[in-house]
Amino acid sequence: MCSTNSRTKYYLPDEVVIHNDPTSAWVIVHGTVFDVTPLFSTSAKKASLRKTLQWLLALAGKDLSSFFHNNLDPIERTNRNGERVPVFVPCLERNPATRLYWYKDPALVIGRITFHPCPVKIINTLTFHATEMIVCYEDTIGDVREKYLRYNDNAKQYEWRKDLSEGMEAGMLRMDQTLTENGYLVNLRSPLPVIWIFYILPPDAADPAEAETENFRKM
């Protein structure tokens, strides 16, 4: 996932789609990502859920923007009694903890969908292993490093650099800045951004190449 602390978190659509069961249910509405899991927490089994919650759960992990106006108000229709009701009936569901409608509850907002998914290649200069990832346009290099931990749990033991030809300090990437802020071109026509990482040997470490070989065996 993207970003940390009080900054807005950004997600790839592929990161949202896997949250599709009662233990972790996310939805997207006009770019805003909601964690609606608390709506299901009081029911242990899917069969015991109200029909409106079953409907919402069936669409967990998906983009529900077609049921809402841009201001996040639900699109409505007139029923047989002449009343205005939401087209998407699960809009009537509330967060049990706050009693707010889930799409109006700031407590359920966990972030936004990225403006642009960005492919990036990370080359480990110790093992010459190249890893291609998709990250968020808004991710800082620190965020990218956190995501890279799934491929290499020693990622924080590396120096992250942009250009091998530049001097030691000049080539260093700013971990608190994004790819574009670090000078990479990120668009459909630009080359794949490449990040070079250099292992920094701890004072009492064993052979780094051996440690990294063992690390990649676990992948």
Side-chain angles (χ1 to χ4, degrees), residues 5 8 15 104 118 126 128 152 171 173 189 195 218:
N5 303 324
T8 299
E15 292 178 299
K104 292 291 187 181
C118 299
L126 180 63
F128 297 103
N152 184 343
L173 289 171
R189 296 191 181 93
I195 296 174
K218 297 176 183 177

Side-chain angles (χ1 to χ4, degrees), residues 9 11 44 62 74-76 91 116 118 125 128 133 141 145 150 152 160 162 170 178 180 202 207 215:
K9 294 185 178 182
Y11 299 93
K62 295 181 171 56
I75 295 173
E76 296 182 331
C91 288
H116 178 56
C118 299
T125 58
F128 297 103
M133 300 169 50
I141 301 300
R145 183 176 65 182
R150 78 186 72 160
N152 184 343
W160 288 60
K162 177 183 178 183
T178 65
T180 54
D207 181 358
N215 186 50

